[in-house]
Amino acid sequence: MFAKDLEVVDKLRADAINVREPHSSGIRKLAAYAGQLTWMGGKFPIDIGADFTWYPALGYNTQRPISQNNMSFELSNILYNLASLYSQLAYSLNRSSAEGLKSACNYFCMAAGVVSYLRSDVIPDMRSTPPDDMDDVSLESLQHLLLAQAQECFWQKAVMDGLKDISISRLAAKVSDYYADAGEWAVKSDSISSEWIHHMNAKHHHFAAAAQYRAACECLDKRRYGEEVARLRDSLLCVNEALKESRYINKIVLGDLHGLKAKVEEDLKRAEKDNDIIYLIPVPPKSELKSIDRANMATPKVPKEVSDPMSFIGDRGEFGRPLFAKLVPFTVHVAASIYNERRDRLVNRSIVEELDELTASLHEYVIFRYEDPPRLIEALHGLVSHAEEVRQQDGASRLWRSTEDVAKLKESDLTLYNEGVQLLQSEAAEDERAREQHGTDRWRRLSSRNAATKLYDQVDEIQGYLESANRSDELVKEKLRESERLIVLLGGSTRDLQDFVPSSRRTALTQQLQKEIARLRAILGEVGTLESRRKHKVEALRDKARSDDINSVILTEAGRLEREFPMQKIEAAQFEDLFDRRLQRYDVDQSTVAEEQQHQSDLEARLKDANTAFANARKGDTSTKEREQALQKLENAYFKYKEIVSNLDVGRKFYNDLAKIVARFRDECKNFVYHRRFEASHIESEITMGVSRLDISDSLQQQRQRPLDTQLPESQAPVGEPLAAPVPTRNPPLGAHMWTPNMGIKFGGTHGVSDAQTRNSSTQGYQSNQWTPDQGLRFGGQ
């Protein structure tokens, strides 16, 4: 239904966000989208469900996008871009001509107007925190900056036209004020850079100097020579202050400052010389100089496309037809919900709750204020229904079955709990045995209780739950045993009840007592009828409220408002008169509350008189007392039955909830024990390997310490075929036959060589015994 409208919205947004160059055609694109957004603001809620993403234009996070689900956020950014476009158009114009200055000034004023409208009308309705470059202080600074530039165009035009010095001075003074205000607001902003602030300060001092110079020229014409010198001196001071910001201003402005300084210095030198030699007029201090009057020519101008976009929307409008025109405005939904809330509050609080309070007070008056006859008759009326209820629910048998069911649930929970506790106890015992076996030096892991503090805390916690529940179970069983006989009686036959309650037929009633009983019963019947009638009234009133649909009426009223005030945005407050007229249909129901209250007061007075007469008529009648006691016992038994049923239901729910807790506890215990046993196995393996390495090291050390000529005993000789290895030879005795570096290296042994030959060979010198590659290698006994 609205597919074409959605396509139009997409195209409008695409055109608006793609306005990049300073051209007048971009104004319509931005203004058209902003106008449709303003129109759709009455059709949709502000949080429409779509995220709008924009990048800040100022500040230190211009590369970080900001997204908000907010139509006002989208509108604010479009208007911000529109103000930027106006300022870019003003800057792009040729301001060396009068026509260019006039157009630039107009654009600057409209840019300031858009910023002013954004700050006062759009941002407050955003209902969220605006970005840093659109907060109040930033927009205030931008507005004054734009007005300063617009005022500067007027000043430049006055200079070009050769207006009087005093007029130019007043224009320049206002330019200086605008730049000063812009700088002050910029200091408070988190998004305006320091370069901008320095530039604004330079322009402020620049135009303050220009204003004083033109005022000095005016003083020269008026022959106020002392004041001329004072103003020229102040102008020079202002120029010097502006030149302190020279690194932050462009070359054109810097050239103007230097030119102004040269002119001021030249005129000041001339003025001081003339005054000192010729005029001899005292030079007043700056504090005594008259402040220069301001001539403000720049004011914010809000474009009509922004302030009144509805006049551009229509079938033949510049911004096109209104989108989603057939969609019910969101304000209508808000108004309908407001009316429904007021109607429900009126019905429930002013009527229904009042009637319920009257009924409750009447019931309390009948049942609890008078202990004997009304309570007795009410008990007679309620006994039959109570007995039937207990009989249908199988009375005591149901309670015992429920008790058994609760006991089974308890046993199941206890089994799971004990299983988890046994796992923890078993693991703790294993850990303690391992610690005793290996010692605390090698078995250094945490103890079971320290490693699973949470689980052991749960042991005590669940144990407390079970003990408390067990006490409650015993208490419920005790209640059941005490009231079992009467509950069985309530669930039995009517004959049993009649035998238990003393019959009034066995006692002869006086004629007066019978009359008062009949009268009292009649009044109590009226009480029941009154309660029933009120119940039907409340149901009828609620049906009336549910069928009260105001949507069609609000739509009709909204259509009338749109026709009569097409440029005005529809607000929920405009339907207040309609709400008041609509709620008048409940005035009749409100009046019934007072009538019911009066009727109840009369009924309570009659009941009081009847009860007093009944009490006087039955004095000395003991049978009534016995009947009251019997009925009271049965009534108490019924309430005890309901209480036990409720207790068993609570117990069943408790054990079902506890089952989840103990099952999770058991599973956590299993997981903990599994990881602890795996950890213990790993630690034991490390300990065993460490001991084995220690034994091998000890054995090797003992072999090194054994005498070199010691042979293994035959009993320890290896059995079986030995592995192939180089044949060992006995080392020669230490002393004369010890190897020396002069002997060279020999592989293997020389069998059959005598000691003398060995000694002779050792004396042949190093060269005869040195191994060479052509000799090859000899292993074993070759």
Side-chain angles (χ1 to χ4, degrees), residues 638-661:
Y638 170 75
F639 288 118
K640 187 66 69 174
Y641 168 78
K642 300 294 287 185
E643 179 183 352
I644 295 173
V645 169
S646 176
N647 292 339
L648 291 174
D649 290 340
V650 171
R652 185 183 297 106
K653 183 178 183 303
F654 168 79
Y655 284 117
N656 283 327
D657 294 340
L658 185 62
K660 300 175 184 178
I661 297 175

Side-chain angles (χ1 to χ4, degrees), residues 555-624:
L555 284 173
T556 303
E557 182 68 11
R560 184 187 67 82
L561 292 173
E562 288 181 346
R563 290 191 303 271
E564 295 181 2
F565 310 99
M567 307 306 171
Q568 184 178 358
K569 184 179 179 181
I570 298 178
E571 301 290 345
Q574 295 173 279
F575 299 94
E576 289 294 333
D577 294 338
L578 175 63
F579 295 162
D580 294 337
R581 293 194 303 269
R582 186 79 174 186
L583 291 175
Q584 289 177 359
R585 60 175 56 189
Y586 297 97
D587 292 345
V588 177
D589 301 290
Q590 285 183 288
S591 63
T592 59
V593 176
E595 296 175 0
E596 290 289 331
Q597 187 173 8
Q598 182 62 38
H599 187 193
Q600 180 171 319
S601 299
D602 297 340
L603 192 60
E604 289 176 353
R606 291 167 53 201
L607 181 61
K608 180 180 179 181
D609 295 339
N611 180 71
T612 303
F614 176 82
N616 294 331
R618 73 180 186 89
K619 287 182 179 179
D621 185 9
T622 58
S623 61
T624 303

Side-chain angles (χ1 to χ4, degrees), residues 266-296:
E266 180 183 353
D267 287 359
L268 178 60
K269 184 178 180 181
R270 186 262 313 155
E272 287 179 339
K273 181 178 179 181
D274 290 348
N275 190 53
D276 291 341
I277 296 175
I278 302 174
Y279 307 114
L280 301 176
I281 298 176
V283 178
K286 181 180 179 180
S287 58
E288 295 181 4
L289 291 177
K290 181 183 177 182
S291 178
I292 301 175
D293 295 333
R294 267 59 174 171
N296 184 24

